[in-house]
Amino acid sequence: MRLPSGGQIDRTQKLSFRFDGQYYKGHPGDTLASALMANGVRLMGRSFKYHRPRGVLTAGSAEPNALVALRTGGRQEPNTRATTIELFDGLQAFSQNAWPSLRFDALAINDRLSNFLTAGFYYKTFMWPAAFWEKLYEPLIRRAAGLGAITTKPDPDAYDKGFVHCDILIIGAGPAGLMAALTAGRAGARVILADEDSRMGGQLNSERFAIADMTAPDWAAQILAELSTRPNVRLMSRTTVFGAFDHGIYGAVERVSDHLPRPAQGKPRQILWRIYSRRAILATGALERPIAFANNDRPGILNAGALRSYANRWAAAPADTVAVFTNNDDGHRTAADLMAQGITVAALIDTRADAPTLPGVECLAGAQVIDTTGRLGLNSVTVRLANGRTRKLKVGALGVSGGWNPNLALSCHQRGRPRWDDTIAAFVPTADLPPGMSVAGAAEGQFSTHAALSTGAARATQALADLGRIATPPDLPQTEDTPSRITPFWHVTGDKRAWLDFQNDVTVKDVKLAHQEGFRAVEHLKRYTTLGMATDQGKSSNMGGLAVMAELTGQSIAQTGTTIFRPPYTPVALGALAGRSTGQDFRPRRLTPSHTWATEQGAVFVEVGLWMRAQYFPRAGEKTWRETVDREVLATRASVGVCDVTTLGKIDVQGRDAAEFLNRIYCNGFAKLAVGRVRYGLMLREDGIAFDDGTAARLAEDHVVVTTTTANAVAVYRHMEFARQCLWPDMDVQLISTTEAWAQYAIAGPNSRKLLQKLVDPGFDISNDAFPFMACTEITVCNGCPARLFRISFSGELAYELAVPTRYGDALMRRIMAAGAEFDLTPYGTEALGVMRIEKGHAAGNELNGQTTALNLGMGRMVSTKKDSIGAVLSRREGLNTPDALRLVGFRPKNPKARIPAGAHLLAKGAQMLAANDQGYVTSACYSPCLQTHIAIGFLKDGAARMGESLRAVSPLTGEDIEVEIVSAHFIDPEGERLRA
Amino acid sequence: MIINHPLLGPCDAQEFIYKGDARLIDRPDGMSDGAEAAFYDYAYLRDNPAGEHRELWFHEQGDRSWLVVTRNTLTHEITSVELARDVARSRGRSA
C-alpha cells in the first residue's frame, strides 16, 4: 500500500510498469520493490531449493529474495534485485524459479521433501552410479534448484572502461561519507565520493530525526549541493565500489543507463572504473540481520530497518497493520517511525526482559515469535510471551531486527579478518586493512549518527594529514547520539524450520546437521550447507549461521570466527568486465599495407597472430580452395609469384657488438657473418628447446636486420631485450622493433630476377654473380624509393624479399603486379606458402612447437660448441640426444590420393593404438600439386635412419589410418639448385 | 598493482610482462667446467618464498625496460624497483 504522505517520490508523475505481465503504476523515486509494495504485492519470488514463496527482505543491495529477470530480448538480465532497480516507465520484470506461475509453483513439492534435501544432500544422495551424475542428477538439480536463466541473445548495449585518479576515495555517501567528503573537499584534496544508490545520503534518506535544524534527507541534500559545486570533488552515484585491490586501486561499476528504458544514443549501459587512490575511507554503513524463527520466510516478513526505509523514503508499506520483532533499540525506532507514518503497530515484540517501552504501542518484553501463518503472504504471527502463554497477532507484515552488522566486506579484500565486538554484538574491522584504507561510521561499528559524522570528519582529517594537508574539520551539527543497546539473540528454539539464509534455503536444522556431521569450521560450514553463497554472499545470513554454530560447539562467536569476503561486493555483469573488447573488437586487428590491394583481388584472409593475412586469391571458376592453392603453387614454381610477408617480425640490431650479440642469441655462428650477407638463424630457449627461427641480414658492420616468425615477433623481441639488459648490460647494442616500419614482399620463381630488374633502379646489379643466394643490400626501386633487398627463399625457388618503408607498401605491390604482367605474375597467400615450404621440408610453427630441439629438426650440427649461446649447454643434455630421438622426416602415402591427417601418430603395421607403440607424429600435411600426391612432414624416432620404411599414420580423432612411406623431408630440389640459379 | 618505475614513475602493472625470479640474471658461463650442472640449476631450480621476492618485470607497453621488482608475495607490497641493467652490473655482469 502507498502511504498518504511523505516519501522521496514524485507523486505528480506516474510510471507504468509490468511484473509477470500484470500492469502497475509507480512514481519517479520508486524502486521496483517499493512500487510493488505500494501496489500491494508481497509475493516477489520463489526460493532456491524449496520453491517457498518469498517477498522482499531488505531495501538495498543485500537482498536475497526479491530477485527478478529484468527487461526482455537481448537486454534481459536475470537475478536483478527488485530493491535496487529504479523504476522507469515501461519497465518489465518477471519472477524466477517458478513454474507454471509464481502463485502456483509445481516444484513447491520440494518443500514437502525437505527432509531429503537438507545440507549436503547431493553429496550423499547422488553418489551412485557415478555416470548418472553428469547425465541425470546434475541436469535435474539444475532445473529444479536455481536462479534466473540468461538470455542467449547478444547484448545490444555498450560497456566502457574508465580510469580515474584521486587523493581520497570515499566509499558510501551516508552521514560518515558525506562528512568525510566535506572535510576533504574543503581542504582542496581530489575527492571521489561513490555510492551504489541513485540518491546519495545513505541511511539518512530513510530516517525521520533531525540534523541541525533540518530533516536528515534535507541535511544530506544540502551537503551534496555544496560538494557538487567543488571542482575537486567528483560525485559518483549509482556506482558500486566492488573490490579493494593492490596499491590503492579500487574497482567500481557505474550504472550509467540502468535506470532508463535503454541507454541514450552513444552512451554505455555501464562503466567499469579503475580508481587509483592514495587514501580510501570505507563508509559503507551497516546491514541489518534477521532473527531465525519458525516460518520466518513468508512474504511480508522483512528486516525492520527495511520496513522503516519503505515507510520513510518511499511511503510504502506491505500492510496497514504490522508488528516488530527485535532484540535491540533500533527496532523501537522502526516502530516509532511506522506509527509516525500512520501505520498501526500491533505489538513491539522484544526478546529482552528489560526492554524499554515505547509510547503508543504495546511492548511485549521477553517475548519471542514462535510461528507464522499465510502461505503466499503473512496472515498472523504467534508470540510466546514472557509468562509462557502464547498470543496470536493478525498482522500483514512483521519487521525483524536481530541487530546490525558493520558492512565491512571491502575491509577484508586483502585478507583482513574482522574482530568480534561484544558491545554491539557484531564483527568490526581491525587495523589489518588494505593499505591506505580507513573505516568510518557504522562500517566501523559506530552506530549513532553523531558518531558517523565525527568519525567521518576524523578519518578524512587523518587521510589529509597523511598526504601532507592540514584540514579544519567542519563543525559537527547537532543530531541523534543514542547508544545502541542490544542483547544478542539469534534464533527461536523450536522444531519447525527456521531460516538463516533465505537465498540458499539454509535453516537452523541444516547448521545442526553440519555440526553433527563434523563440518564445524566456518569455512566447512559454508561449503557444506551453502550458507552465504550466491548473489547476496550471505550479507543477511552469515552472522546467524556462525552464531548457531558457536552455540552448538559451546564456543564464543569470537572463537568461532567468520568467513571473510572477496570481490565483488555485489555481482558485476560480465559485459562490464569485457568493456568494448567484444566481437570484432575483442582484440586489435593489424592490416598490412597491401591489405586494400589484396581485398580488391578478392583475397580470403586468415588471422595470424593479430594480423589479417591473405590466405589465397580465388579466381572465377575455381570451385574449391585447393584448386586455387594448386594454381598459385604451380604458377610460382613455373614462372613467378608474389606474397606479402610484411607480418614477419623485424628487429633492427645496431651497435659495435651487434654481430657478437646475435652470436649469443642464435645457436649457430654469427660473429663472422660478412656485410652484405644473410644467414638463417635458430634461437633456442635456455632449456635447449627450439624457440624461433628467422634470418639475420648484415647491412653494415654495426647493423643487422633480424626477422622472426609472425607469431613470435613480440616474444623474441622481449627475449632479446632480456639478454641485452640483464645478461650482457655493457654490450654496445641497441634493439628496436621495425615490424610495422617496413612492407615486405617475397618474389619467388624462376622469373623473379627478371621481374625485379624492371623495378630496381639502374646502378644496382642484381645478377647472380653480383647478388648471389643469401645476399642482402640497400637499394632504391621505382625511381628513388629506398628499399632493402634480400635474396632468401622459403619456397625453394630463386627468390627475393623486397622491403620498402610501410607508406610505399601499397604502391610497390601495384608496381610489382604491373611489372610482372608479362610473366603471368601470380599473387599467392599463406596456403600456397605453406605448401611450398612443406615441399621443401622447411620447419615452421608446427615443427617449432615448443617440444622440439635442433637435433629433432635436423639441425643438431648447427648448434655451435665453439661458443656460448642461449640454450646450447642444455641442448646437449643426454635425455635430448638419445639414439632414438625424433627426427624430421617426410611422408608419402602409399595411395597418392590419400590425405595424411596432420597430428596423426605413427605406428608400425599391426601395432595396437597405444602410447607405448607410438613412433612419432605428423606435424604438417598438404597436397603437393608438383608431385601430384599428398605429402607430409613430421617427427619419427631415429627417423634419419629409416628412409623407405612403411608405417601407419593414425588419427584416432578422425578415424583415419593411412599407410605411409618414410622419405626425406626435402621433396623438391633437395640439392637447392633452383634457389642458387 | 602499481610499479614505481625508476625512470617513468608509477605505472600500472598491466603495462608489464612478468618473467620470474631475478636470479635469471645470474646466467652461468656456458664454456666453463661443470656448465651443465650450473645450467640445470639456473633453468629449473627456483625458490618459492612466502614473503620478499626479487623478480623480473618487462615494461612491454612502456619504455621496454627490464626491471627488478622486490615484491612481498603475501601482501604484494613492493619495496624496491631497480633497472635490471643496473642490478646486472652490480652482480658483475658486463659485456
PDB file of all heavy atoms in Angstrom, chain A residues 537-560:
ATOM      1  N   GLN A 537      25.875 -13.321  -1.229  1.00  0.00           N
ATOM      2  CA  GLN A 537      27.078 -13.650  -0.463  1.00  0.00           C
ATOM      3  C   GLN A 537      26.864 -13.514   1.049  1.00  0.00           C
ATOM      4  O   GLN A 537      27.747 -13.069   1.774  1.00  0.00           O
ATOM      5  CB  GLN A 537      28.255 -12.795  -0.934  1.00  0.00           C
ATOM      6  CG  GLN A 537      28.751 -13.212  -2.312  1.00  0.00           C
ATOM      7  CD  GLN A 537      29.445 -14.571  -2.286  1.00  0.00           C
ATOM      8  OE1 GLN A 537      30.465 -14.763  -1.644  1.00  0.00           O
ATOM      9  NE2 GLN A 537      28.857 -15.555  -2.976  1.00  0.00           N
ATOM     10  N   GLY A 538      25.685 -13.924   1.472  1.00  0.00           N
ATOM     11  CA  GLY A 538      25.439 -14.025   2.906  1.00  0.00           C
ATOM     12  C   GLY A 538      25.379 -12.719   3.663  1.00  0.00           C
ATOM     13  O   GLY A 538      25.612 -12.698   4.875  1.00  0.00           O
ATOM     14  N   LYS A 539      25.062 -11.614   2.973  1.00  0.00           N
ATOM     15  CA  LYS A 539      25.054 -10.316   3.668  1.00  0.00           C
ATOM     16  C   LYS A 539      24.085 -10.323   4.836  1.00  0.00           C
ATOM     17  O   LYS A 539      24.343  -9.708   5.865  1.00  0.00           O
ATOM     18  CB  LYS A 539      24.728  -9.196   2.683  1.00  0.00           C
ATOM     19  CG  LYS A 539      25.867  -8.930   1.704  1.00  0.00           C
ATOM     20  CD  LYS A 539      25.534  -7.760   0.779  1.00  0.00           C
ATOM     21  CE  LYS A 539      26.695  -7.483  -0.155  1.00  0.00           C
ATOM     22  NZ  LYS A 539      26.918  -8.572  -1.124  1.00  0.00           N
ATOM     23  N   SER A 540      22.950 -11.016   4.682  1.00  0.00           N
ATOM     24  CA  SER A 540      21.987 -11.045   5.776  1.00  0.00           C
ATOM     25  C   SER A 540      22.091 -12.331   6.602  1.00  0.00           C
ATOM     26  O   SER A 540      21.518 -12.420   7.663  1.00  0.00           O
ATOM     27  CB  SER A 540      20.564 -10.904   5.219  1.00  0.00           C
ATOM     28  OG  SER A 540      20.307 -11.953   4.305  1.00  0.00           O
ATOM     29  N   SER A 541      22.809 -13.331   6.113  1.00  0.00           N
ATOM     30  CA  SER A 541      22.690 -14.666   6.709  1.00  0.00           C
ATOM     31  C   SER A 541      23.925 -15.181   7.429  1.00  0.00           C
ATOM     32  O   SER A 541      23.806 -16.019   8.323  1.00  0.00           O
ATOM     33  CB  SER A 541      22.332 -15.662   5.617  1.00  0.00           C
ATOM     34  OG  SER A 541      23.356 -15.717   4.652  1.00  0.00           O
ATOM     35  N   ASN A 542      25.120 -14.717   7.045  1.00  0.00           N
ATOM     36  CA  ASN A 542      26.345 -15.308   7.594  1.00  0.00           C
ATOM     37  C   ASN A 542      26.366 -15.300   9.111  1.00  0.00           C
ATOM     38  O   ASN A 542      26.675 -16.292   9.760  1.00  0.00           O
ATOM     39  CB  ASN A 542      27.574 -14.547   7.095  1.00  0.00           C
ATOM     40  CG  ASN A 542      28.067 -15.094   5.779  1.00  0.00           C
ATOM     41  OD1 ASN A 542      27.609 -16.152   5.338  1.00  0.00           O
ATOM     42  ND2 ASN A 542      28.970 -14.391   5.152  1.00  0.00           N
ATOM     43  N   MET A 543      26.031 -14.131   9.644  1.00  0.00           N
ATOM     44  CA  MET A 543      26.165 -13.922  11.089  1.00  0.00           C
ATOM     45  C   MET A 543      25.313 -14.921  11.856  1.00  0.00           C
ATOM     46  O   MET A 543      25.770 -15.537  12.830  1.00  0.00           O
ATOM     47  CB  MET A 543      25.750 -12.472  11.382  1.00  0.00           C
ATOM     48  CG  MET A 543      26.142 -11.946  12.712  1.00  0.00           C
ATOM     49  SD  MET A 543      27.883 -12.089  13.035  1.00  0.00           S
ATOM     50  CE  MET A 543      27.827 -13.243  14.362  1.00  0.00           C
ATOM     51  N   GLY A 544      24.071 -15.103  11.425  1.00  0.00           N
ATOM     52  CA  GLY A 544      23.169 -16.033  12.101  1.00  0.00           C
ATOM     53  C   GLY A 544      23.716 -17.444  12.076  1.00  0.00           C
ATOM     54  O   GLY A 544      23.675 -18.167  13.087  1.00  0.00           O
ATOM     55  N   GLY A 545      24.233 -17.848  10.922  1.00  0.00           N
ATOM     56  CA  GLY A 545      24.790 -19.198  10.795  1.00  0.00           C
ATOM     57  C   GLY A 545      25.961 -19.415  11.749  1.00  0.00           C
ATOM     58  O   GLY A 545      26.057 -20.451  12.413  1.00  0.00           O
ATOM     59  N   LEU A 546      26.839 -18.425  11.817  1.00  0.00           N
ATOM     60  CA  LEU A 546      28.004 -18.531  12.707  1.00  0.00           C
ATOM     61  C   LEU A 546      27.565 -18.618  14.165  1.00  0.00           C
ATOM     62  O   LEU A 546      28.110 -19.389  14.952  1.00  0.00           O
ATOM     63  CB  LEU A 546      28.898 -17.291  12.575  1.00  0.00           C
ATOM     64  CG  LEU A 546      29.502 -17.017  11.220  1.00  0.00           C
ATOM     65  CD1 LEU A 546      30.337 -15.747  11.294  1.00  0.00           C
ATOM     66  CD2 LEU A 546      30.353 -18.200  10.815  1.00  0.00           C
ATOM     67  N   ALA A 547      26.563 -17.806  14.497  1.00  0.00           N
ATOM     68  CA  ALA A 547      26.105 -17.758  15.881  1.00  0.00           C
ATOM     69  C   ALA A 547      25.521 -19.099  16.295  1.00  0.00           C
ATOM     70  O   ALA A 547      25.780 -19.592  17.398  1.00  0.00           O
ATOM     71  CB  ALA A 547      25.073 -16.641  16.043  1.00  0.00           C
ATOM     72  N   VAL A 548      24.742 -19.725  15.409  1.00  0.00           N
ATOM     73  CA  VAL A 548      24.151 -21.024  15.728  1.00  0.00           C
ATOM     74  C   VAL A 548      25.262 -22.062  15.887  1.00  0.00           C
ATOM     75  O   VAL A 548      25.242 -22.874  16.815  1.00  0.00           O
ATOM     76  CB  VAL A 548      23.130 -21.444  14.643  1.00  0.00           C
ATOM     77  CG1 VAL A 548      22.647 -22.870  14.889  1.00  0.00           C
ATOM     78  CG2 VAL A 548      21.957 -20.474  14.627  1.00  0.00           C
ATOM     79  N   MET A 549      26.258 -22.008  15.000  1.00  0.00           N
ATOM     80  CA  MET A 549      27.373 -22.958  15.102  1.00  0.00           C
ATOM     81  C   MET A 549      28.144 -22.746  16.411  1.00  0.00           C
ATOM     82  O   MET A 549      28.535 -23.710  17.075  1.00  0.00           O
ATOM     83  CB  MET A 549      28.308 -22.831  13.895  1.00  0.00           C
ATOM     84  CG  MET A 549      29.467 -23.810  13.886  1.00  0.00           C
ATOM     85  SD  MET A 549      28.968 -25.551  13.994  1.00  0.00           S
ATOM     86  CE  MET A 549      28.586 -25.923  12.286  1.00  0.00           C
ATOM     87  N   ALA A 550      28.332 -21.493  16.785  1.00  0.00           N
ATOM     88  CA  ALA A 550      29.038 -21.194  18.032  1.00  0.00           C
ATOM     89  C   ALA A 550      28.295 -21.797  19.217  1.00  0.00           C
ATOM     90  O   ALA A 550      28.890 -22.424  20.099  1.00  0.00           O
ATOM     91  CB  ALA A 550      29.182 -19.685  18.196  1.00  0.00           C
ATOM     92  N   GLU A 551      26.986 -21.617  19.192  1.00  0.00           N
ATOM     93  CA  GLU A 551      26.141 -22.155  20.255  1.00  0.00           C
ATOM     94  C   GLU A 551      26.292 -23.684  20.337  1.00  0.00           C
ATOM     95  O   GLU A 551      26.421 -24.258  21.412  1.00  0.00           O
ATOM     96  CB  GLU A 551      24.706 -21.788  19.888  1.00  0.00           C
ATOM     97  CG  GLU A 551      23.709 -21.810  20.976  1.00  0.00           C
ATOM     98  CD  GLU A 551      22.373 -21.349  20.395  1.00  0.00           C
ATOM     99  OE1 GLU A 551      22.225 -20.118  20.202  1.00  0.00           O
ATOM    100  OE2 GLU A 551      21.526 -22.206  20.103  1.00  0.00           O
ATOM    101  N   LEU A 552      26.298 -24.341  19.165  1.00  0.00           N
ATOM    102  CA  LEU A 552      26.359 -25.808  19.126  1.00  0.00           C
ATOM    103  C   LEU A 552      27.712 -26.322  19.607  1.00  0.00           C
ATOM    104  O   LEU A 552      27.788 -27.376  20.241  1.00  0.00           O
ATOM    105  CB  LEU A 552      26.108 -26.307  17.700  1.00  0.00           C
ATOM    106  CG  LEU A 552      24.679 -26.094  17.181  1.00  0.00           C
ATOM    107  CD1 LEU A 552      24.636 -26.317  15.690  1.00  0.00           C
ATOM    108  CD2 LEU A 552      23.715 -27.028  17.890  1.00  0.00           C
ATOM    109  N   THR A 553      28.760 -25.594  19.296  1.00  0.00           N
ATOM    110  CA  THR A 553      30.091 -26.064  19.677  1.00  0.00           C
ATOM    111  C   THR A 553      30.454 -25.584  21.074  1.00  0.00           C
ATOM    112  O   THR A 553      31.490 -25.989  21.611  1.00  0.00           O
ATOM    113  CB  THR A 553      31.163 -25.545  18.703  1.00  0.00           C
ATOM    114  OG1 THR A 553      31.064 -24.126  18.643  1.00  0.00           O
ATOM    115  CG2 THR A 553      31.001 -26.134  17.314  1.00  0.00           C
ATOM    116  N   GLY A 554      29.617 -24.735  21.670  1.00  0.00           N
ATOM    117  CA  GLY A 554      29.901 -24.242  23.018  1.00  0.00           C
ATOM    118  C   GLY A 554      31.011 -23.215  23.044  1.00  0.00           C
ATOM    119  O   GLY A 554      31.542 -22.891  24.092  1.00  0.00           O
ATOM    120  N   GLN A 555      31.363 -22.712  21.860  1.00  0.00           N
ATOM    121  CA  GLN A 555      32.401 -21.679  21.805  1.00  0.00           C
ATOM    122  C   GLN A 555      31.749 -20.308  21.711  1.00  0.00           C
ATOM    123  O   GLN A 555      30.572 -20.192  21.377  1.00  0.00           O
ATOM    124  CB  GLN A 555      33.261 -21.866  20.564  1.00  0.00           C
ATOM    125  CG  GLN A 555      34.174 -23.072  20.612  1.00  0.00           C
ATOM    126  CD  GLN A 555      35.047 -23.111  19.371  1.00  0.00           C
ATOM    127  OE1 GLN A 555      34.556 -22.949  18.264  1.00  0.00           O
ATOM    128  NE2 GLN A 555      36.330 -23.321  19.572  1.00  0.00           N
ATOM    129  N   SER A 556      32.546 -19.282  21.972  1.00  0.00           N
ATOM    130  CA  SER A 556      32.036 -17.933  21.736  1.00  0.00           C
ATOM    131  C   SER A 556      32.090 -17.663  20.232  1.00  0.00           C
ATOM    132  O   SER A 556      32.773 -18.377  19.483  1.00  0.00           O
ATOM    133  CB  SER A 556      32.902 -16.914  22.469  1.00  0.00           C
ATOM    134  OG  SER A 556      34.174 -16.879  21.860  1.00  0.00           O
ATOM    135  N   ILE A 557      31.365 -16.633  19.812  1.00  0.00           N
ATOM    136  CA  ILE A 557      31.402 -16.277  18.392  1.00  0.00           C
ATOM    137  C   ILE A 557      32.803 -15.820  18.011  1.00  0.00           C
ATOM    138  O   ILE A 557      33.299 -16.122  16.924  1.00  0.00           O
ATOM    139  CB  ILE A 557      30.349 -15.200  18.083  1.00  0.00           C
ATOM    140  CG1 ILE A 557      28.956 -15.802  18.294  1.00  0.00           C
ATOM    141  CG2 ILE A 557      30.493 -14.674  16.667  1.00  0.00           C
ATOM    142  CD1 ILE A 557      27.817 -14.827  18.169  1.00  0.00           C
ATOM    143  N   ALA A 558      33.465 -15.124  18.933  1.00  0.00           N
ATOM    144  CA  ALA A 558      34.837 -14.674  18.666  1.00  0.00           C
ATOM    145  C   ALA A 558      35.735 -15.864  18.374  1.00  0.00           C
ATOM    146  O   ALA A 558      36.573 -15.824  17.472  1.00  0.00           O
ATOM    147  CB  ALA A 558      35.360 -13.879  19.856  1.00  0.00           C
ATOM    148  N   GLN A 559      35.544 -16.955  19.138  1.00  0.00           N
ATOM    149  CA  GLN A 559      36.367 -18.152  18.913  1.00  0.00           C
ATOM    150  C   GLN A 559      35.973 -18.846  17.618  1.00  0.00           C
ATOM    151  O   GLN A 559      36.806 -19.414  16.926  1.00  0.00           O
ATOM    152  CB  GLN A 559      36.188 -19.142  20.075  1.00  0.00           C
ATOM    153  CG  GLN A 559      36.883 -18.700  21.358  1.00  0.00           C
ATOM    154  CD  GLN A 559      36.414 -19.560  22.542  1.00  0.00           C
ATOM    155  OE1 GLN A 559      35.233 -19.871  22.692  1.00  0.00           O
ATOM    156  NE2 GLN A 559      37.366 -19.932  23.389  1.00  0.00           N
ATOM    157  N   THR A 560      34.701 -18.821  17.318  1.00  0.00           N
ATOM    158  CA  THR A 560      34.230 -19.483  16.097  1.00  0.00           C
ATOM    159  C   THR A 560      34.786 -18.792  14.855  1.00  0.00           C
ATOM    160  O   THR A 560      35.146 -19.436  13.878  1.00  0.00           O
ATOM    161  CB  THR A 560      32.689 -19.472  16.063  1.00  0.00           C
ATOM    162  OG1 THR A 560      32.223 -20.074  17.255  1.00  0.00           O
ATOM    163  CG2 THR A 560      32.152 -20.252  14.866  1.00  0.00           C
TER     164      THR A 560
END
